[in-house]
């Protein structure tokens, strides 16, 4: 469904000129890149293909960039909604399409800079041990990071803090939107569009937040409790292969298909194909 929504966004000039659809397309593109590279990594590990050190580092770097890109764009989508609701008359002046393009470029630059600093610290501290990189698996590398040197643990905690700040910003914006619009009457019905959209968005955000909480618990157990390496790998495998993938699977359905323009465009494509088959 992600390539289909991206096709609808980029193939229609009126849709791709709007800020919310540009940000949505960027988020879906980041998620698609992450899913493709993570699937490639899982397939190579299943086939027992050992990547060279440089290829493994590049694969891990691209995964980190794609994940940060999706997370930062999700925060930008919430800020866009925040500005659109609280400043409707000044929204076009604050976020015109030209400025949105610059914001998207800035998001990708930040998504590349943050993992770049992380990998630079690891390379200067010689923390990329060859025996780790022979198994180019994100869950295995994650659990070895939690049991690794102080530099590795410091980078892990800094990354966790940045992700936690992004998610906290998202939740705070949604909380402000709720209290600002509480008296407008759009929350009276449990089946209203505002209530359903609010619940769906917070469901996605919860699944973005829950893997972080699981990593906190895992790191706490690794530091304070003598957990076995196999247990840690199973926990990391569950976090990376299920909990971190789940919000990226739900995102196109709960965000993309909620927009009327995208749903109408998809329906028109299906109807055209259906009429063509009937004729």
């Amino acid at each position: 469904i992600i390539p289909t929504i991206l096709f609808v966004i980029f193939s229609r000039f009126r849709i791709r000129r709007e800020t919310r659809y540009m940000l949505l397309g960027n988020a879906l593109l980041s998620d698609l890149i992450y899913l493709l590279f993570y699937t490639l990594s899982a397939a190579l590990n299943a086939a027992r293909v050992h990547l060279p050190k440089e290829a493994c580092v590049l694969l891990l770097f691209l995964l980190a960039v794609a994940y940060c890109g999706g997370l930062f764009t999700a925060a930008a989508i919430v800020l866009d909604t925040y500005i659109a609701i609280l400043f409707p008359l000044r929204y076009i002046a604050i976020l015109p399409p030209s400025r949105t393009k610059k914001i998207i470029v800035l998001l990708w630059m930040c998504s590349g800079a943050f993992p770049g600093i992380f990998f630079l610290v690891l390379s200067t501290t010689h923390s990329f041990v060859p025996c780790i990189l022979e198994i180019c698996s994100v869950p295995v590398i994650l659990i070895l990071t939690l049991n690794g040197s102080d530099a590795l643990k410091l980078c892990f905690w800094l990354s966790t803090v940045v992700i936690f700040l992004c998610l906290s910003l998202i939740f705070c914006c949604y909380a402000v939107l709720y209290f600002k619009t509480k008296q407008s009457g759009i929350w009276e019905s449990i089946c209203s569009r505002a209530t359903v959209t609010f619940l769906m968005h917070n469901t996605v955000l919860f699944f973005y937040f829950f893997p972080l909480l699981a990593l906190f618990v895992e790191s706490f157990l690794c530091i304070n409790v003598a957990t076995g390496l196999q247990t840690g790998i199973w926990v990391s495998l569950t976090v990376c292969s299920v909990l971190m993938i789940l919000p990226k699977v739900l995102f196109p359905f709960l965000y993309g298909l909620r927009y009327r323009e995208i749903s109408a465009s998809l329906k028109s494509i299906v109807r055209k194909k259906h009429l063509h088959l009937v004729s």
Side-chain angles (χ1 to χ4, degrees):
I1 193 65
I2 292 180
T4 307
I5 296 177
L6 288 175
F7 173 77
V8 170
I9 292 175
F10 292 117
S11 63
R12 283 161 171 76
F13 179 77
R14 184 177 59 85
I15 292 180
R16 71 171 181 264
R17 287 285 296 173
E18 292 191 31
T19 297
R20 53 179 177 169
Y21 295 127
M22 295 170 66
L23 293 174
L24 175 65
N26 190 60
L28 292 176
L29 182 62
S30 301
D31 289 347
L32 182 62
I33 293 173
Y34 181 87
L35 291 173
L36 289 175
F37 281 115
Y38 191 82
T39 304
L40 175 63
S41 173
L44 292 175
N45 290 321
R48 299 184 182 277
V49 177
H50 296 288
L51 292 176
K53 177 181 178 180
E54 293 77 11
C56 182
V57 172
L58 179 62
L59 181 60
L60 294 174
F61 176 75
L62 293 176
L63 280 171
V65 170
Y67 185 81
C68 291
L71 185 63
F72 293 160
T73 309
I77 290 175
V78 176
L79 290 176
D80 173 68
T81 306
Y82 180 86
I83 295 173
I85 293 177
L86 297 186
F87 308 99
L89 299 179
R90 298 175 55 194
Y91 174 73
I92 299 299
I94 295 175
L95 286 176
S98 58
R99 185 171 296 171
T100 305
K101 293 179 182 178
K102 296 177 182 178
I103 292 175
I104 291 175
V105 173
L106 180 62
L107 289 175
W108 279 107
M109 291 175 62
C110 294
S111 302
F114 181 68
I117 296 173
F118 179 82
F119 280 79
L120 183 62
V121 171
L122 293 181
S123 62
T124 53
T125 56
H126 303 287
S127 297
F128 272 140
V129 183
C131 66
I132 297 178
L133 294 177
E134 285 181 2
I135 308 173
C136 195
S137 172
V138 177
V140 174
I141 292 178
L142 182 61
I143 188 60
L144 291 177
T145 299
L146 296 175
N147 290 277
S149 62
D150 293 336
L152 281 172
K153 293 179 181 178
L154 177 62
C155 290
F156 169 78
W157 285 111
L158 289 177
S159 304
T160 305
V161 168
V162 171
I163 296 173
F164 181 78
L165 289 176
C166 288
L167 293 172
S168 300
L169 174 65
I170 293 174
F171 279 113
C172 288
C173 287
Y174 271 126
V176 171
L177 286 177
Y178 174 76
F179 287 109
K180 289 284 187 180
T181 58
K182 190 176 181 180
Q183 304 300 326
S184 62
I186 62 176
W187 307 101
E188 291 180 358
S189 175
I190 192 64
C191 298
S192 65
R193 183 174 178 83
T195 304
V196 174
T197 303
F198 184 77
L199 291 176
M200 293 172 69
H201 288 190
N202 279 277
T203 301
V204 176
L205 293 176
F206 171 77
F207 284 115
Y208 267 112
F209 178 78
F210 192 72
L212 184 64
L213 181 62
L215 290 178
F216 267 124
V217 174
E218 181 185 359
S219 59
F220 176 80
L221 292 176
C222 288
I223 294 173
N224 298 292
V225 182
T227 57
L229 185 61
Q230 186 175 2
T231 304
I233 291 177
W234 275 110
V235 174
S236 299
L237 186 64
T238 304
V239 170
C240 296
S241 300
V242 179
L243 298 180
M244 293 180 70
I245 299 297
L246 192 58
K248 301 182 182 302
V249 174
L250 294 175
F251 192 89
F253 293 98
L254 299 186
Y255 271 81
L257 298 182
R258 289 285 294 170
Y259 289 112
R260 294 187 179 95
E261 291 83 355
I262 293 179
S263 299
S265 299
L266 290 174
K267 290 178 182 178
S268 66
I269 293 174
V270 173
R271 286 170 184 167
K272 286 180 181 179
K273 290 183 178 181
H274 179 68
L275 292 174
H276 179 70
L277 291 173
V278 170
S279 63

